[in-house]
Amino acid sequence: MCLSRKSLYTMEVFLLILILGLASSRIDCQNIIGHGGSFNVLDYGAIGDGRTNDTQAFLNAWRDACWSGVESPVVIIPQNFIFLVYPLTFWGPCNSNKIYFMISGEIIAPSSLGTWKGRDASEWVVFRDVKGLTIDGSGTIDGQGKAWWDHSCAHQSYLKGCTRLAPTALKFVSCNETSVSNMYVNNSPQTHILVLGCHGFNLHNIFINSPVDSPNTDGIHIQSSHRFSVTHSIISTGDDCVSIGDYTSDVEINNIVCGPGHGISIGSLGKSGNIVQVESIHVSNVYFSGTTNGARIKTWQVGRGTVRDVIFENLLFNSVQNPIIIDQHYCNVQGACKDITGSGVKISNIVYRNIFGTSSTDVAINLNCSKYVPCTNIVMQFVQLSSATPWKIVSADCENAYGQEYGVGPSSCLLQS
Ligand SMILES: *[C@@H]1O[C@H](CO)[C@@H](O)[C@H](O)[C@H]1NC(C)=O
Ligand SMILES: *[C@@H]1O[C@H](CO)[C@@H](O)[C@H](O)[C@H]1NC(C)=O
Ligand SMILES: *[C@@H]1O[C@H](CO)[C@@H](O)[C@H](O)[C@H]1NC(C)=O
């Protein structure tokens, strides 16, 4: 009890810092706009009434900013306007190594699926090959995902013409040295923020929100990227708060409130039998509330390669279904994957430290590792989990998991190496 009260207090302070962080961001914007040239979408004919197609104005403002000779051009999306934009890509490389995108107003997606006819249904707003991009401004991006969720095969596979692929709200491809801060990203048809092939990418003070029953709406998904961080953010969605895909390293996830959602996941990895390379992942100071998973690692049996040097620390769980879970037998449809002998992604050097809170199921710790490629060097220190239902007992289940523990309850089932 004492612990949870203290933790709650910590959360309040943390939320306060988040709010203060947002309030101070306006001042920063003013400073930035003072330097370099500014390119306001209104000057390019955007109307911002929430109904007019403002796509071309956005593209033209971007083109001029990107091609301008000024040192740090700023694209301005002013506040008190709602801009309707259709699928669009902001292309780099730009002339400047530093380009600002100040979103203070709201950007909304078209709400009808028909808009994507003949287009790539996986994207809406895309930044590609841009270096040194800073997105800031306390604005909102709304993917208007409802029509997509209603047509998703994930919820109703019997529906004729149901959709499997839906747009990502914000997608970054090959964008080195990017920073995105002080933004609201809501109701994406699928993943909210997707980072692909980016070196040096920081997300800070991001609020992501979509309904708990919206399918495949990951908060943030990172793939093939290095030096990534997400800090001081609140994520509530219908899928993972943050998920880390194949070929990713040097990831820092810090000061996050996650829930509802599926937790923070490394994986699923190795789906197509590829060689996974995921390492140096640090997840700390996360509060999970009512999520299906907490700290999760999931790999497909067909995968190969490694996941190593992962630290999960200072986590607090409030009624989470699988607080700590490693699943090396991951399969998206239960029972649909054949048991594969001989392969598997090697999982090693995983630390779980200072982890407290409650589980809503009987199994609080589940380390389900492969017979062929066992998990090794798992370290658990000061992990204390109890049932969300008073007086109920929770357990730890392990298979082929080797390592050491200290101060763990429910007493874990690690095998001595
Ligand atoms: C909106 O404008 C863009 C850019 O001019 C254009 O490509 C697109 O077809 C327009 N969409 C609609 C539905 O008018
Ligand atoms: C991004 O950085 C990586 C690693 O430093 C480099 O190999 C790659 O060429 C860079 N890409 C761009 C588009 O600048
Ligand atoms: C591990 O996963 C396999 C396949 O999904 C399942 O049959 C088994 O019961 C699981 N073991 C534990 C300890 O959860």
Side-chain angles (χ1 to χ4, degrees):
M1 277 297 111
C2 177
L3 172 80
S4 62
R5 186 165 302 160
K6 179 165 174 255
S7 308
L8 264 177
Y9 172 73
T10 312
M11 287 315 300
E12 277 165 14
V13 171
F14 166 49
L15 287 172
L16 191 68
I17 292 167
L18 273 177
I19 292 159
L20 289 175
L22 263 186
S24 66
S25 72
R26 285 262 156 74
I27 301 157
D28 295 338
C29 300
Q30 295 306 324
N31 283 340
I32 290 160
I33 291 163
H35 307 110
S38 64
F39 303 82
N40 190 323
V41 292
L42 293 178
D43 297 334
Y44 288 83
I47 303 299
D49 60 1
R51 283 180 289 128
T52 310
N53 181 356
D54 286 328
T55 314
Q56 199 59 50
F58 273 59
L59 288 171
N60 291 350
W62 173 261
R63 182 202 56 207
D64 281 7
C66 185
W67 289 94
S68 78
V70 303
E71 205 179 307
S72 44
V74 188
V75 174
I76 295 171
I77 291 113
Q79 60 182 328
N80 303 325
F81 292 91
I82 301 173
F83 300 97
L84 171 65
V85 306
Y86 287 79
L88 80 178
T89 298
F90 299 110
W91 282 95
C94 297
N95 275 342
S96 165
N97 278 336
K98 210 127 202 49
I99 182 159
Y100 293 88
F101 207 91
M102 287 295 149
I103 306 175
S104 303
E106 183 169 354
I107 300 176
I108 62 170
S111 54
S112 104
L113 275 57
T115 306
W116 272 264
K117 212 167 177 185
R119 287 173 176 277
D120 183 348
S122 75
E123 35 186 68
W124 173 40
V125 176
V126 184
F127 289 88
R128 210 177 264 271
D129 296 331
V130 184
K131 189 179 167 198
L133 171 70
T134 298
I135 300 182
D136 200 325
S138 312
T140 301
I141 293 185
D142 193 313
Q144 310 249 54
K146 186 159 187 331
W148 291 96
W149 307 329
D150 291 346
H151 277 83
S152 168
C153 302
H155 280 181
Q156 31 200 352
S157 50
Y158 53 86
L159 191 75
K160 212 167 162 238
C162 65
T163 51
R164 286 177 204 287
L165 192 63
T168 286
L170 261 180
K171 178 170 163 182
F172 299 88
V173 186
S174 302
C175 289
N176 286 358
E177 311 311 328
T178 303
S179 149
V180 183
S181 49
N182 309 311
M183 290 291 309
Y184 296 84
V185 184
N186 300 331
N187 303 315
S188 181
Q190 224 157 64
T191 300
H192 287 73
I193 299 176
L194 177 63
V195 178
L196 289 177
C198 299
H199 297 249
F201 199 107
N202 304 313
L203 290 160
H204 181 77
N205 249 17
I206 306 293
F207 296 75
I208 296 177
N209 192 33
S210 62
V212 60
D213 57 356
S214 56
N216 305 117
T217 50
D218 280 356
I220 299 161
H221 181 72
I222 322 148
Q223 190 132 337
S224 307
S225 295
H226 310 280
R227 288 189 292 114
F228 171 92
S229 74
V230 50
T231 52
H232 268 238
S233 295
I234 301 183
I235 305 170
S236 318
T237 69
D239 208 311
D240 293 336
C241 288
V242 182
S243 65
I244 295 168
D246 296 332
Y247 320 113
T248 305
S249 65
D250 292 309
V251 172
E252 180 76 40
I253 298 172
N254 191 334
N255 273 316
I256 306 290
V257 177
C258 167
H262 294 183
I264 293 184
S265 273
I266 298 179
S268 63
L269 304 172
K271 182 177 182 175
S272 50
N274 52 301
I275 298 179
V276 170
Q277 238 182 313
V278 172
E279 56 192 42
S280 299
I281 312 288
H282 185 202
V283 179
S284 61
N285 304 321
V286 182
Y287 175 58
F288 295 90
S289 185
T291 52
T292 53
N293 303 285
R296 172 159 70 160
I297 302 177
K298 53 175 176 174
T299 64
W300 293 74
Q301 281 186 312
V302 290
R304 289 168 297 149
T306 55
V307 176
R308 65 180 171 211
D309 303 331
V310 178
I311 300 174
F312 289 105
E313 65 181 342
N314 307 333
L315 310 184
L316 180 66
F317 296 113
N318 173 26
S319 195
V320 170
Q321 285 176 34
N322 304 294
I324 293 179
I325 179 164
I326 294 179
D327 184 2
Q328 262 188 318
H329 301 99
Y330 182 73
C331 184
N332 57 348
V333 182
Q334 204 157 31
C337 303
K338 277 203 301 264
D339 206 30
I340 292 165
T341 58
S343 72
V345 178
K346 174 80 187 159
I347 298 176
S348 62
N349 300 359
I350 315 291
V351 176
Y352 298 92
R353 192 158 51 209
N354 296 331
I355 297 180
F356 303 95
T358 58
S359 170
S360 63
T361 66
D362 295 346
V363 182
I365 299 174
N366 187 353
L367 308 179
N368 193 336
C369 299
S370 156
K371 187 160 58 177
Y372 310 104
V373 193
C375 301
T376 56
N377 201 12
I378 300 205
V379 177
M380 291 202 165
Q381 292 175 317
F382 308 111
V383 175
Q384 293 294 333
L385 298 168
S386 55
S387 175
T389 310
W391 314 117
K392 255 189 128 177
I393 303 290
V394 290
S395 68
D397 283 2
C398 298
E399 262 175 52
N400 309 304
Y402 292 83
Q404 291 163 13
E405 62 176 78
Y406 188 86
V408 178
S411 181
S412 115
C413 37
L414 286 168
L415 302 165
Q416 299 285 319
S417 28

